[in-house]
Amino acid sequence: MRESPRLRVAFFRPDDERTEEAVELVESLGADPVPDPMLAVEPTDAVPRSDADYVVLTSKTGVELAAAADWDPGEATVCAIGDATARALREAGYAVDHVPEKFSSAGLVESLADAAEGKRVEVARSDHGSAVLTDGLEAAGAYVHETVLYRLVRPESAGESAELAAAGDLDAALFTSSLTVENFLSAAEQRGVRAEAVAGLDAATVGVIGEPTRETAEDRGIAVDVVPDRADFETLACAVVEEAAPSHHE
């Protein structure tokens, strides 16, 4: 590991305002940000259905695409997973009727299980959405329809963080989904440094959002150090920097 007074922290947010906000946050924590977008959005031009009893949106990106298509939820109960999704809905002029206490697919299933039986539920999200949500709602007796609003692909430029990890020059990494883990490893493989990058992460502090992301990382040989209780990027970044700082200065 290089000698440096500041932590070098990689994150993999899409190359839009989320990366800009993440850079500012990491800098405010006294660390050097390494933005390495692992996800790019390809819209499908699909629109959520308007004839459901419940409509579930799982991301800010999905909300923005639905709003751009002038989606009308009709009489549906609008559900959002997470504060960021709920905030995006309100900013787009939609009412938010339900946000589960646990910001996850499992949390939404748990919160709707008693009310879902016999209801039509529209799930509008990316092509990499977890089956936990749709399978769980169906198991609760709902009639589930899924609309893919966008596809998530790995940008060809991704991989700077993998090379830094492989060289021992990365102090922390923030994974926000299973797909960011998979795309990080894919980018490392493409650059011929997969084994070295995984070894480099083992020497760094790795934080993830949610148990599914932890499972994906650990299944692929990446040791996870931090899984915050609250599933949002700011909480993740703060927890990882706090965890990484003592070992960095030893």
Side-chain angles (χ1 to χ4, degrees):
M1 185 68 68
R2 78 196 188 288
E3 293 296 327
S4 170
R6 289 167 63 92
L7 295 167
R8 185 174 281 173
V9 180
F11 49 86
F12 314 108
R13 314 220 76 189
D15 190 14
D16 54 24
E17 73 277 1
R18 283 167 289 189
T19 284
E20 296 171 8
E21 292 166 359
V23 166
E24 292 179 3
L25 172 61
V26 171
E27 288 179 339
S28 76
L29 296 172
D32 288 334
V34 180
D36 194 5
M38 290 288 168
L39 304 175
V41 174
E42 289 186 351
T44 63
D45 297 326
V47 182
R49 293 176 60 167
S50 300
D51 59 351
D53 299 300
Y54 292 86
V55 177
V56 179
L57 289 119
T58 65
S59 70
K60 178 177 181 289
T61 298
V63 171
E64 291 170 346
L65 292 172
D70 294 324
W71 168 62
D72 180 359
E75 299 300 315
T77 296
V78 177
C79 307
I81 296 182
D83 285 340
T85 307
R87 183 165 55 250
L89 279 162
R90 295 187 182 104
E91 289 174 354
Y94 296 106
V96 179
D97 302 303
H98 180 71
V99 181
E101 185 175 339
K102 298 177 183 177
F103 295 168
S104 66
S105 294
L108 184 69
V109 170
E110 181 181 339
S111 67
L112 288 184
D114 292 339
E117 185 173 3
K119 302 296 185 181
R120 295 166 299 170
V121 181
E122 167 76 346
V123 176
R125 58 185 185 175
S126 80
D127 63 329
H128 281 81
S130 169
V132 169
L133 179 56
T134 48
D135 290 353
L137 290 170
E138 287 178 347
Y143 301 102
V144 180
H145 178 269
E146 182 176 9
T147 296
V148 174
L149 299 177
Y150 58 100
R151 299 182 181 89
L152 291 170
V153 299
R154 176 173 62 85
E156 284 300 315
S157 60
E160 176 192 1
S161 58
E163 294 194 351
L164 288 172
D169 287 338
L170 195 65
D171 300 298
L174 313 176
F175 292 100
T176 52
S177 68
S178 291
L179 189 57
T180 58
V181 174
E182 292 165 355
N183 285 356
F184 172 91
L185 293 173
S186 176
E189 182 79 28
Q190 186 177 50
R191 293 178 182 230
V193 295
R194 176 169 175 146
E196 295 85 350
V198 171
L201 289 182
D202 192 47
T205 300
V206 174
V208 305
I209 286 183
E211 288 302 320
T213 310
R214 180 213 283 271
E215 291 174 10
T216 298
E218 292 182 343
D219 285 348
R220 288 153 179 77
I222 298 173
V224 174
D225 303 293
V226 177
V227 187
D229 291 336
R230 187 175 179 83
D232 67 64
F233 184 81
E234 182 174 354
T235 302
L236 176 66
C238 291
V240 168
V241 170
E242 182 178 4
E243 177 75 15
S247 61
H248 181 68
H249 293 296
E250 286 178 357

